[in-house]
Amino acid sequence: MEYTIEKLLAEEQWKQLNVIEGKESCKRKIEGIRIIEVPEMARYLTGGELLLTSLYVYRDCSAEEFYQYLIAFEEKHISGILLKEREQISEKEKKIKLLKTYCESKKIPLIEMPKKISFWVMISFVMNRIFTKDVARLRYFKLTQDNFNTLSFGRDITSSKTQDILELLSDMVDNPVTLYYSNLNCYVTSGGDHSRLELREDLEEYIPSVITKFSYMRQRKKGTGEIQYVIKISVMEEVEAYLVVTEKNRKLSAMDCMAIENAIITLQYGFVTEFVQNEIEKKYHRDIVHNVLSGMLGKEEMEEAANLLEIHSEEYYRVVTFYTFQKERGDMYTSEQLRETGIIEGEIMTLCPGQHVYRNIDQIVMIQRVDEKQKREVYLNKMEEMCAALQNAIRYRHKTEKIQVGIGKMVKGIYNLKDSYYEAKRAISYRDIAKVISGNENQTVTLYSDLGFFKLLGDIDDLNTLMDYIPESLQRLYSYNKPQRKDLILTLQTYLDNNQSLNKTAQALFIHYKTATYRIDKIGKMTGMDFKNPNEMLNVRIGLILYKMLEKAR
């Protein structure tokens, strides 16, 4: 049964359409539907199509040229024109008047369409009325593919170009679309929500009603309960991202999934181009940075490297190293683990824009521009937050790597970066000592300068040699072979941590003041410790840390 303009106008959801010319010709059969994408659109028509336009494609042509393009539609016997007005079109009123004149003379229905109605919603609707289900899907897939190809042809994928792709997809599916980095931070969105993606416990696999090579997941958005479709995008097993479509305005259809498929393919193509370009540039920079940090360059070469890397002589820098560790792994990294390191490298570049980041097998090195006036605590807190973000992203990918960060000293300009790099690597090798010193087994960031005196002990291979640095009084306490030994050692540690305050010691251990007093007195009598001697107390503090190092090593 024929589907006509008259039947389209009679549909309940299209009551807002208004025929402004050619009312007497509304019985015309709709043979197809297309957006006018180029001024010479007539050459791409097969005949009988319903055309959609905002006249934007004619924005740069004169009124006379515009009318000639309209005349070219004559032999195609188009069924009608849907017009959605748009601003910023030269001679807009004159062109609309010419369009009305043309449609009136040729008895072509000219229908005014509200701005809020998406062309793509109309296309999907009409295709499902004039074609069988399979034909409609095939044609819609081809049409969306052509539009994405036109949008991306000859363009690199940058934030603004990705924005164009997402805006087009959002228009097609009539819902907000967002692209997230693998660490779940927002990269580009068609809506106004730039918050991080939260993968919730109800996240489940979703199988769309179309053939797909991508992995779809589905969840309810926190706060609104709206359905979110989460599609993972991978490029060359190096770049990972999440495309998220939120059902804010209407439910997704099979045709929407086809549009999503074409959008992802377009994004992937752009990402591959960008990835190859970036890899060439990164390799060149990696070689330069490696030579700088290894101290292999002469003065003139260093100055040239400083200019290329934009490392300024009056600015301050630190070298930061990132390592990934797994409990059960040999000396060799698997290809999968190396790919994961590459993904982490990309995430660091995202979190630290403008810094020099490069990967060297299992480690990632960053030359970080820093503020010499920034307080140490503030700087370390920011580094801990970044490390936590990286660890969360790893967990979301269901990987088991653990991030450890080593930080070298602050240096001015390029010439002493090799010293900062040396310290950053040493900080990683002393990470277990740092955890003992801080008393925090979950510590992920180690600043080499914080290791102090213990840097001298890190290279001692003979564990028994460390006993020479432990005062005899403390050795007596550790040799005390009674059940109370553990409580006494804990009390001593807490007592020293609280500046030898018995009140604070009792509060920290949740014991009575008299109990704390009794234990400290007992330690003094048993070991001969002089709690009033600051030098001895310093040695005891060091000895307590050395005992922890010994216990950890054994």
Side-chain angles (χ1 to χ4, degrees), residues 75 78 121 149 184 230 326 475 478 484 511 525 543:
E75 62 183 34
I78 59 175
V121 172
N149 287 344
L184 308 185
V230 183
Q326 284 186 322
Q475 291 185 38
Y478 271 84
Q484 297 87 355
I511 58 176
K525 291 175 182 177

Side-chain angles (χ1 to χ4, degrees), residues 181-183 185 238 282 320-324 340-360 362-368 383 386-391 393-394 397 403-406:
Y181 293 108
S182 58
N183 62 9
N185 286 330
E238 292 281 353
K282 277 163 57 178
V320 182
T321 58
F322 301 81
Y323 277 83
T324 58
E340 178 65 17
T341 304
I343 292 170
I344 295 169
E345 177 193 16
E347 291 170 341
I348 294 170
M349 294 173 73
T350 300
L351 293 169
C352 304
Q355 311 290 8
H356 295 289
V357 180
Y358 84 98
R359 175 172 36 136
N360 183 14
D362 61 338
Q363 71 166 333
I364 300 165
V365 180
M366 175 170 67
I367 298 176
Q368 183 184 35
M383 294 303 292
M386 182 179 71
C387 196
L390 293 171
Q391 200 63 65
I394 292 170
R397 291 192 294 274
I403 291 280
Q404 287 290 317
V405 180

